[in-house]
Amino acid sequence: MNFKELDQMVGWEQEVDNIDWKSMLEDIDRALMDNLAAELGFRTYEQLEHASERIVQDYYIVYLSDGRYAWWNPLKYATEDPLYFADKEEVEQYITGLLRLDNEQRAQLRNGLARIPQMHRCIVCEYEFNPKDPERRKWDSSEERNEFCSAECAMEHVMTEMKEDFTG
């Protein structure tokens, strides 16, 4: 090994020593959570989390616009995909078996599942959104624009329609 190669190795080792590993791991975790949100049809992880109900520990359930329920865990997402259930009865049966719920606990679960709002899918961006989200009232106080997730998507839709009207 010559001195030039040795010098390059020392430089490389110094570069590795200067890496902010904590920041890099946080970036990876953030990317995983954003990927989870995208997999479930949401624009951001925060929107997914806000639209979901925590059932136990770090397990959540969300009621998607297509009628399915998704069971997910942010801490296990790297190794465990979300589970999808066709309807409320199927997810109730799964959770009851997983957690070994008695009849009273199962009734509580059934009542909790009945209160989870069903998401809608935006006709512009195609992301899932909670039509009951209080933030939506800032731009849709009458709650009549349930086909749009945001004021930006509603405006984009109006602008597209206007453009089509002018161009034929």
Side-chain angles (χ1 to χ4, degrees):
M1 181 178 291
N2 63 36
F3 289 114
K4 184 177 180 182
E5 290 173 346
L6 185 59
D7 192 39
Q8 287 176 339
M9 285 182 62
V10 169
W12 179 82
E13 288 175 354
Q14 288 174 343
E15 289 291 325
V16 170
D17 289 342
N18 290 333
I19 292 174
D20 182 357
W21 292 104
K22 183 178 179 184
S23 175
M24 185 180 288
L25 288 174
E26 288 171 355
D27 290 346
I28 291 169
D29 285 345
R30 178 85 234 144
L32 275 171
M33 293 305 96
D34 287 342
N35 191 61
L36 170 62
E39 183 176 336
L40 292 172
F42 288 83
R43 183 183 307 269
T44 67
Y45 176 72
E46 288 77 19
Q47 289 174 340
L48 167 62
E49 190 175 39
H50 187 70
S52 300
E53 289 292 327
R54 178 182 267 174
I55 301 297
V56 63
Q57 295 171 345
D58 290 307
Y59 283 94
Y60 294 82
I61 195 85
V62 63
Y63 187 14
L64 300 172
S65 62
D66 64 4
R68 295 179 302 157
Y69 287 81
W71 171 260
W72 59 276
N73 182 326
L75 301 179
K76 294 188 176 188
Y77 176 61
T79 59
E80 187 178 285
D81 288 334
L83 297 177
Y84 296 93
F85 300 92
D87 55 37
K88 185 170 39 175
E89 290 74 26
E90 193 176 311
V91 74
E92 179 186 324
Q93 185 177 15
Y94 174 79
I95 295 170
T96 298
L98 180 72
L99 301 178
R100 299 184 186 125
L101 302 179
D102 61 30
N103 287 338
E104 184 179 329
Q105 292 168 322
R106 186 173 187 156
Q108 290 173 346
L109 173 64
R110 185 176 301 122
N111 289 335
L113 290 173
R115 289 191 304 268
I116 297 173
Q118 184 173 10
M119 299 301 105
H120 287 205
R121 183 170 293 271
C122 181
I123 64 171
V124 175
C125 68
E126 298 186 355
Y127 283 116
E128 297 276 330
F129 69 95
N130 183 352
K132 303 293 185 194
D133 185 346
E135 287 294 309
R136 296 186 81 255
R137 290 193 191 106
K138 291 178 181 176
W139 62 272
D140 185 22
S141 57
S142 62
E143 298 183 23
E144 294 176 355
R145 305 307 308 218
N146 281 335
E147 65 269 33
F148 306 112
C149 68
S150 65
E152 293 80 12
C153 282
M155 188 56 113
E156 184 176 330
H157 183 72
V158 168
M159 297 301 287
T160 300
E161 283 184 339
M162 289 173 60
K163 185 177 178 181
E164 288 173 359
D165 287 346
F166 286 121
T167 60

